[in-house]
Amino acid sequence: MREDILHAMDKNARISVTDLATILDASEEEIRDQITEMEKEKIIYGYHTMINWDKTNDEHVLALIEVRVTPQRDQGFDAIAQRIYRFSEVSSVFLMSGAFDLMVIVEGKTMKEVALFVARRLAVLESVLSTSTNFVLKKYKENGMILEDDKKDERIIVSA
């Protein structure tokens, strides 16, 4: 049942305990206890709101930064990943397979702000060998949610 709760909450973090109980044919108390237990175990870390910043007046830039690093003796990639994720500008850090080691997701108000963070704080770290910054220009779908408005069919109707 835990996985069913997690899948439902992953799609909608605001789903009510009542609705979960109905969907999963369980009591509200049972669902509430399961959620509380998963929060204690850090299976559920928090609840996140998805925001389409393009629909606001707030400037918001998202960058995906590929980082090649030298792993630390006896700590592998963990030590450098910890140093990186402590920066307030960093929203996510992932260990990757492939041509680079870490994917660092950085948020800022402008491209210049993000570029300065990379140049002055990230790229200068001792274990960092190289970085490659990719700015997100437009989001179409994020976390399973389509972000575009439904487009109106603008074709002209032709009848004979």
Side-chain angles (χ1 to χ4, degrees):
M1 176 179 357
R2 291 177 104 179
E3 287 77 19
D4 294 330
I5 293 171
L6 292 172
H7 285 292
M9 291 179 75
D10 192 35
K11 297 238 183 286
N12 178 5
R14 295 183 66 183
I15 192 168
S16 70
V17 170
T18 304
D19 288 345
L20 278 170
T22 302
I23 292 167
L24 301 175
D25 194 27
S27 71
E28 290 183 28
E29 182 180 0
E30 189 177 7
I31 297 297
R32 199 173 290 107
D33 290 347
Q34 289 285 329
I35 291 171
T36 300
E37 188 64 31
M38 288 187 285
E39 289 171 341
K40 286 178 186 171
E41 294 174 21
K42 300 290 185 194
I43 293 170
I44 297 174
Y45 266 86
Y47 301 88
H48 186 75
T49 302
M50 284 184 46
I51 299 168
N52 186 350
W53 290 104
D54 292 341
K55 298 266 186 185
T56 71
N57 293 327
D58 192 22
E59 290 295 317
H60 190 84
V61 175
L62 184 67
L64 288 72
I65 304 164
E66 302 168 0
V67 183
R68 289 187 58 235
V69 299
T70 303
Q72 301 293 306
R73 178 181 218 90
D74 298 325
Q75 295 180 353
F77 295 100
D78 294 346
I80 187 64
Q82 288 173 357
R83 285 193 67 193
I84 292 170
Y85 70 57
R86 289 193 192 327
F87 290 120
S88 62
E89 297 88 345
V90 173
S91 63
S92 300
V93 178
F94 304 103
L95 180 62
M96 305 294 292
S97 64
F100 55 95
D101 304 305
L102 300 173
M103 172 63 74
V104 179
I105 300 177
V106 173
E107 297 182 52
K109 290 191 181 289
T110 64
M111 287 184 180
K112 182 177 181 179
E113 181 181 286
V114 171
L116 288 173
F117 165 77
V118 173
R120 294 180 179 167
R121 300 183 76 193
L122 180 61
V124 297
L125 293 175
E126 189 175 311
S127 297
V128 173
L129 300 172
S130 67
T131 65
S132 177
T133 302
N134 303 279
F135 287 100
V136 174
L137 302 178
K138 182 177 181 179
K139 293 181 188 178
Y140 295 97
K141 186 175 183 177
E142 183 176 22
N143 292 329
M145 302 293 289
I146 296 171
L147 300 176
E148 290 188 309
D149 293 331
D150 290 335
K151 303 239 183 212
K152 183 180 163 194
D153 189 352
E154 296 180 8
R155 294 179 292 179
I156 298 172
I157 298 173
V158 178
S159 60

